[in-house]
Amino acid sequence: ADERVIESYLSEIFRTLRGNGVAKIELRTDATPYRWRYSYGISFTADEARNLFIRAGLSVLSVVPDGTKHLWVTAVKQV
């Protein structure tokens, strides 16, 4: 997967959320040496993740690391 696929998912989340609806999404944040493997997917820094959500029209409430390999982003569709 590449960043454009993730952007399309976030755009669909924005489209389907009701006004003031909240989404909490887990993203990878660790670029492992096996990044080329399909099952590992793409990883993002906290700033990259925040910018992805903003570009999709969502307001980011929080970006919280979960250990060293995952990141939780909570965002809302503002009305």
Side-chain angles (χ1 to χ4, degrees):
D2 73 12
E3 192 171 315
R4 291 174 299 197
V5 173
I6 306 303
E7 285 177 352
S8 73
Y9 293 161
L10 293 175
S11 293
E12 184 64 7
I13 289 169
F14 177 83
R15 186 187 73 78
T16 58
L17 271 179
R18 291 182 179 176
N20 295 319
V22 176
K24 185 173 183 179
I25 308 294
E26 179 187 20
L27 298 172
R28 286 189 63 245
T29 188
D30 178 44
T32 68
Y34 303 107
R35 188 171 181 172
W36 55 270
R37 290 179 58 183
Y38 175 75
S39 61
Y40 279 82
I42 189 169
S43 64
F44 299 95
T45 66
D47 287 337
E48 290 169 337
R50 181 181 299 278
N51 289 332
L52 277 173
F53 279 73
I54 291 169
R55 285 198 307 266
L58 296 161
S59 297
V60 176
L61 299 175
S62 67
V63 179
V64 179
D66 182 5
T68 59
K69 296 186 182 223
H70 302 279
L71 188 66
W72 286 96
V73 181
T74 305
V76 64
K77 179 179 180 177
Q78 303 262 328
V79 289

